[in-house]
């Protein structure tokens, strides 16, 4: 059984790929430019652009299951190509935003929901992964950490940030055994940890002091705009972060229920990523 891992260069995609390879599965890895992919021995590489379904036929040839990134443009073409190829199960990296009570007003939720709905309507099985915050978001602190500081809005915001390897383990388990078909899985790390505590853990793991400097929401929005985020997104994200100063983000036990192991802590994530902050 061949599994296609889209976005194999991505943090989560790579973790899915590694978990499947460790389990001895037959895996094909895709990127928009396969030449840039560095994959383990024995893994086939293929170029595929989810926004351009004409590139998907060869990527999906002989594939039974797919790990899919959310890409609204081209999702209908993906569904057709996957059906034609005889795909039986797609595991989608979606977002916890679609499960939030006010998700109808959320641009982030709407983007993901279009893809979720296309897969739910498709003739093959789907499993939706709906994680909250990623621990990898703190990689955005690298430039500031090089200066000995963590600059963040709402430093006392508490999130149950999830390790990409836990997402990889969950996706791989489901891709291998075909379980959880038709389900939406709300995924998180093991406990809420504030940004201030994340900074302290990173300081401890990196062995150097890190000062926390609070950004105003306006300063944070300016930084996001400079990174090219569409203008309506920063206010939505900042509102969500502000909410978690009052009530921590949802923590679930789903990683353990699916994989049998407890989700990795933020400290474990920091130890795994020490070199990224060198
Ligand atoms: N950050 C969070 O807290 C959070 C929380 C919940 C959900 N999410 C969701 O998680 C996803 C990000 O995951 P990540 O951190 O693993 O991302 P990442 O490291 O930035 O990787 C993104 C991957 O998407 C692939 N990609 C981009 N456009 C593509 C296209 N048109 N066709 C095929 N592949 C394409 C890229 O592959 P190539 O460049 O090699 O083609 C890359 O491998 C987003 O969908 C986000 O909404 C994030």
């Amino acid at each position: 059984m061949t599994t296609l891992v889209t976005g194999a260069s991505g943090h989560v995609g790579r973790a899915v790929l590694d978990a499947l390879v460790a389990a001895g599965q037959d895996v094909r890895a895709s990127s928009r430019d396969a030449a840039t992919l560095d994959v383990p021995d024995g893994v086939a590489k293929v170029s595929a652009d989810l926004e351009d379904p004409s590139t998907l036929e060869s990527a999906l040839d002989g594939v039974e299951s797919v790990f899919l990134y959310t890409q609204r443009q081209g999702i209908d073409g993906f569904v057709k190509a996957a059906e034609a190829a005889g795909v039986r199960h797609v595991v989608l990296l979606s977002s916890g935003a679609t499960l939030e009570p006010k998700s109808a007003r959320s641009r982030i939720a709407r983007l993901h929901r279009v893809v979720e709905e296309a897969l739910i309507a498709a003739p093959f099985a789907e499993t939706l992964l709906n994680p909250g915050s990623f621990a990898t978001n703190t990689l955005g602190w690298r430039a500031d950490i090089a200066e000995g500081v963590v600059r963040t809005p709402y430093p006392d915001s508490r999130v149950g940030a999830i390790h990409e390897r836990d997402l990889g383990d969950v996706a791989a388990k489901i891709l291998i055994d075909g379980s959880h078909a038709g389900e939406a899985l709300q995924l998180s790390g093991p406990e809420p940890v504030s940004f201030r505590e994340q900074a302290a853990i990173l300081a401890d793991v990196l062995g150097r002091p890190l000062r926390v400097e609070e950004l105003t929401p306006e300063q944070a929005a300016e930084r996001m705009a400079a990174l090219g985020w569409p203008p309506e997104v920063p206010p939505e994200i900042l509102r969500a972060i502000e909410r978690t100063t009052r009530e921590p983000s949802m923590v679930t036990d789903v990683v353990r229920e699916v994989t049998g192991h407890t989700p990795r802590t933020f400290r474990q994530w920091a130890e795994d990523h020490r070199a990224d902050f060198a």
Side-chain angles (χ1 to χ4, degrees):
M1 179 180 100
T2 303
T3 299
L4 173 68
V5 176
T6 70
S9 62
H11 289 107
V12 178
R14 178 58 198 235
V16 177
L17 178 69
D18 287 343
L20 289 168
V21 169
Q25 297 295 302
D26 178 20
V27 191
R28 189 178 300 161
S30 79
S31 160
R32 283 168 294 181
D33 180 3
T36 62
L37 272 183
D38 178 21
V39 294
D41 288 346
V43 173
K45 301 195 285 185
V46 61
S47 291
D49 185 342
L50 293 168
E51 292 190 35
D52 178 3
S54 70
T55 64
L56 298 178
E57 193 180 339
S58 56
L60 287 165
D61 185 34
V63 163
E64 280 186 35
S65 59
V66 179
F67 172 75
L68 185 68
Y69 270 86
T70 294
Q71 199 63 248
R72 184 166 65 170
Q73 302 300 329
I75 184 60
D76 295 334
F78 169 82
V79 169
K80 280 196 195 112
E83 184 183 359
V87 166
R88 287 157 58 163
H89 196 165
V90 173
V91 175
L92 175 73
L93 176 58
S94 185
S95 165
T98 63
L99 304 179
E100 295 286 332
K102 292 184 180 164
S103 62
R105 292 198 205 141
S106 156
R107 180 181 186 276
I108 296 168
R110 284 200 305 271
L111 271 173
H112 290 85
R113 181 163 299 115
V114 170
V115 177
E116 290 185 353
E117 285 173 355
L119 295 181
I120 290 166
F124 44 77
E126 88 293 340
T127 303
L128 311 178
L129 306 185
N130 298 100
S133 300
F134 290 0
T136 47
N137 291 346
T138 55
L139 292 172
W141 292 347
R142 273 183 293 197
D144 289 336
I145 284 180
E147 297 172 19
V149 56
V150 165
R151 297 186 179 94
T152 179
Y154 305 115
D156 296 311
S157 167
R158 286 182 295 153
V159 292
I162 187 164
H163 196 308
E164 66 279 8
R165 285 173 60 200
D166 286 327
L167 285 165
D169 290 349
V170 166
K173 172 82 171 47
I174 294 169
L175 288 162
I176 292 168
D177 68 13
S179 59
H180 300 279
E183 293 181 21
L185 303 179
Q186 190 164 26
L187 297 157
S188 76
E191 64 202 341
V193 180
S194 72
F195 294 152
R196 201 182 292 285
E197 289 163 339
Q198 290 182 351
I201 291 167
L202 280 167
D204 194 38
V205 168
L206 300 176
R208 48 198 153 101
L210 290 174
R211 179 167 54 80
V212 174
E213 199 177 290
E214 181 166 355
L215 298 175
T216 64
E218 293 74 23
Q219 287 169 325
E222 271 170 33
R223 284 179 149 219
M224 290 188 228
L227 292 172
W229 295 53
E232 62 275 32
V233 171
E236 183 181 328
I237 290 180
L238 288 164
R239 274 198 301 277
I241 296 176
E242 190 276 333
R243 269 200 302 279
T244 57
T245 61
R246 291 176 273 119
E247 189 176 343
S249 67
M250 173 84 75
V251 164
T252 73
D253 202 26
V254 178
V255 168
R256 193 193 52 73
E257 286 164 15
V258 175
T259 66
H261 69 66
T262 50
R264 295 163 173 93
T265 61
F266 184 78
R267 178 171 291 275
Q268 169 82 63
W269 182 89
E271 284 167 358
D272 291 346
H273 286 268
R274 194 182 273 116
D276 290 329
F277 296 92

